[in-house]
Each structure stands twice: as structure tokens, then as C-alpha cells.
Amino acid sequence: MPGDGKWTDTRVRKRLRLGIMGGTFDPIHYGHLVAAEEALVQFNLDKVLFMPTGTPARKTDQRVTPAEHRYLMTVIATASNPDFEVSRLEIDRPGVTYTVDTMTELRTRYGDSADLFFITGADAVLEILTWKDSARLADLCTLIAATRPGYDLSPFMERPVPSGLRVETMEVPALAISSTDIRARMASRRPVRYLLPEAVAAYVSKNRLYRGDG
Ligand code: NAP
């Protein structure tokens, strides 16, 4: 299954630096893609594995597009980049999606051969203390919190994080784009060109997503 294989580099014996891009991706847009590319370069990652959530922990009472659509849009958006892969790990795991379960599974798969970097939006990272077993994340991965320029980073200094957890921040101008805004635009037939890949917009249109009619 693409994205779920084990990457090993037989030419160079070094630890794999694997980025895991976690998000609902409802839909995926250029902000996510630019953030993943920026993380790849800034943190010298070998690959970024996009990880669409199955049942997002904080959205169990919200309407979220079915996981298979979000997965396929993510595959379409990343298809042309050899450094990006997409995983079905979370969408195939039954029940509510918890990051600690995913990181534990990846740690088991890669053992000590990889350093794991969990990349996601800063707003989500700020809630880390409410995440399931967040203290265990310190042993499993480094967190990379992506923000738009001008975002108030002071909460990262003020709020306690689980002991030993490494949190890096990364500014990404394209994160002014948001999935919420794209869904609202689509529901009211406003333009979305240049906010997300055209092929993703075509997929949305073909599957009648975000029509605001139910
Ligand atoms: P969210 O609340 O929908 O997103 C918060 C903010 O971050 C939004 O502005 C969002 O923008 C942005 N964002 C989300 N994913 C991003 C990414 N990969 N890169 C850059 N910006 C991103 O967050 P969510 O999707 O529910 O959760 C984000 C990740 O954290 C998921 O992997 C989720 O499983 C994990 N998480 C885990 C727990 C837990 O284990 N208990 C709890 C909460 C979240 P857009 O709407 O434009 O994406």
C-alpha cells in the first residue's frame, strides 16, 4: 500500500527523518502542501507522510467529510511530489483517532531507525495537554507547529507542555488559506481557484462535496 511501506535507505546508513503531516484535510489545500514542503527543508526530513485523520478526536460532534474522500483528495494533491506519501493508517483504524496511537504504531514499525516529526497546525498543538496520553508523545516524536506569520506564539512559551516534549514552530505564509474558508466558499459558489490544487477542486465538484445542502 503506498505510504504504508517501510522506507529504508540501503545506500546511506543514517537514521530516517520522517515527517508525519497530521490533519483532517477537509479539504487539503496549498497551505498544507507549502507547510509540508517547508518542514521537509527546514527540518531536513527525508519524506513527509500525510496522515488524514479517521475520526478526528475533537470533531466527534461535527460534520466531517467521509474519510475515504479526504484520503483520496490528499493522494491527488500530493501525487506529483516524490517526497510526499499518504498513509491509510488512521482512516483504516476503527474508533476515534488519537495521535499517540499513530506514533506508537509508527515507532513499532521503524524501531530506532527513524526520528519522527509530527507536523500540524499550531492551534491544534496548543491543545496538546488535552490530547490522549500526551506525555507519551515525548518519547515518540518531535512536534512541529505550523503557523501563519503574525500568529501569537507567546502561548507556546506560557503553556506547560508534557515534560521532555520537543515542540518546534514554523511560519508558513500560505497558511492564511484555510479549509473552513474553502468549504464556505464552495457552499456559496465563490471562487477557490489558486487556494487548492485544481484536481482537488475537480474531485470536490465531481463528488458534490461542500455544497452546503446537507
Ligand atoms: P483543526 O482543529 O482542524 O486545525 C486547527 C488549525 O490547524 C486550523 O487552522 C487548521 O487549518 C490547521 N491545520 C490542521 N492540520 C494542519 C497541518 N497539517 N498543517 C498546517 N495546518 C494545519 O485540527 P485537526 O485537523 O482536528 O487536528 C490536527 C492534527 O492533530 C490531526 O492529525 C489530529 O489527529 C491531531 N490531534 C490529535 C488529538 C489527540 O490525539 N487527542 C487531538 C486533536 C488533534 P485547516 O482547517 O485549513 O487545516
Side-chain angles (χ1 to χ4, degrees), residues 4 13 39 41-42 48 50 53 72 74 81 83 85-86 91 112 114 134 158-159 179-180 182 187:
D4 286 334
R13 283 173 184 275
V41 173
Q42 266 196 41
V48 175
F50 282 70
T53 55
L72 287 174
T74 308
N81 189 329
D83 295 325
E85 297 272 358
V86 187
I91 67 165
D112 278 340
S134 58
E158 291 156 12
R159 284 200 205 176
S179 298
T180 307
I182 288 174

Side-chain angles (χ1 to χ4, degrees), residues 21-25 29 32 53 57-59 98-99 118-121 123-124 131-132 146 175 177-179:
M21 182 72 169
T24 307
F25 303 132
H29 53 65
H32 300 128
T53 55
R58 289 193 308 139
K59 298 179 181 165
Y98 296 110
T99 300
F118 185 73
I119 311 156
T120 196
D123 289 338
W131 292 17
K132 180 189 164 198
L175 280 178
I177 302 171
S178 101
S179 298

Side-chain angles (χ1 to χ4, degrees), residues 72-105:
L72 287 174
M73 288 190 280
T74 308
V75 170
I76 290 167
T78 55
S80 64
N81 189 329
D83 295 325
F84 291 172
E85 297 272 358
V86 187
S87 175
R88 295 188 61 90
L89 207 65
E90 291 191 350
I91 67 165
D92 286 344
R93 191 167 63 223
V96 175
T97 303
Y98 296 110
T99 300
V100 71
D101 296 339
T102 306
M103 290 299 135
T104 302
E105 214 166 323

Side-chain angles (χ1 to χ4, degrees), residues 36-156:
E37 184 68 18
E38 190 63 32
L40 191 80
V41 173
Q42 266 196 41
F43 296 91
N44 195 23
L45 307 179
D46 296 297
K47 287 272 180 188
V48 175
L49 183 59
F50 282 70
M51 187 67 70
T53 55
T55 304
R58 289 193 308 139
K59 298 179 181 165
T60 48
D61 56 348
Q62 289 176 34
R63 191 167 184 273
V64 175
T65 302
E68 203 63 40
H69 280 313
R70 294 184 286 102
Y71 168 76
L72 287 174
M73 288 190 280
T74 308
V75 170
I76 290 167
T78 55
S80 64
N81 189 329
D83 295 325
F84 291 172
E85 297 272 358
V86 187
S87 175
R88 295 188 61 90
L89 207 65
E90 291 191 350
I91 67 165
D92 286 344
R93 191 167 63 223
V96 175
T97 303
Y98 296 110
T99 300
V100 71
D101 296 339
T102 306
M103 290 299 135
T104 302
E105 214 166 323
L106 290 174
R107 178 54 69 206
T108 304
R109 187 175 295 186
Y110 288 99
D112 278 340
S113 67
D115 292 321
L116 306 179
F117 296 82
F118 185 73
I119 311 156
T120 196
D123 289 338
V125 173
L126 278 175
E127 303 298 322
I128 186 100
L129 283 177
T130 66
W131 292 17
K132 180 189 164 198
D133 287 347
S134 58
R136 274 184 50 219
L137 280 175
D139 296 329
L140 297 166
C141 62
T142 298
L143 258 76
I144 301 177
T147 72
R148 63 190 69 86
Y151 185 95
D152 180 12
L153 287 170
S154 57
F156 281 93

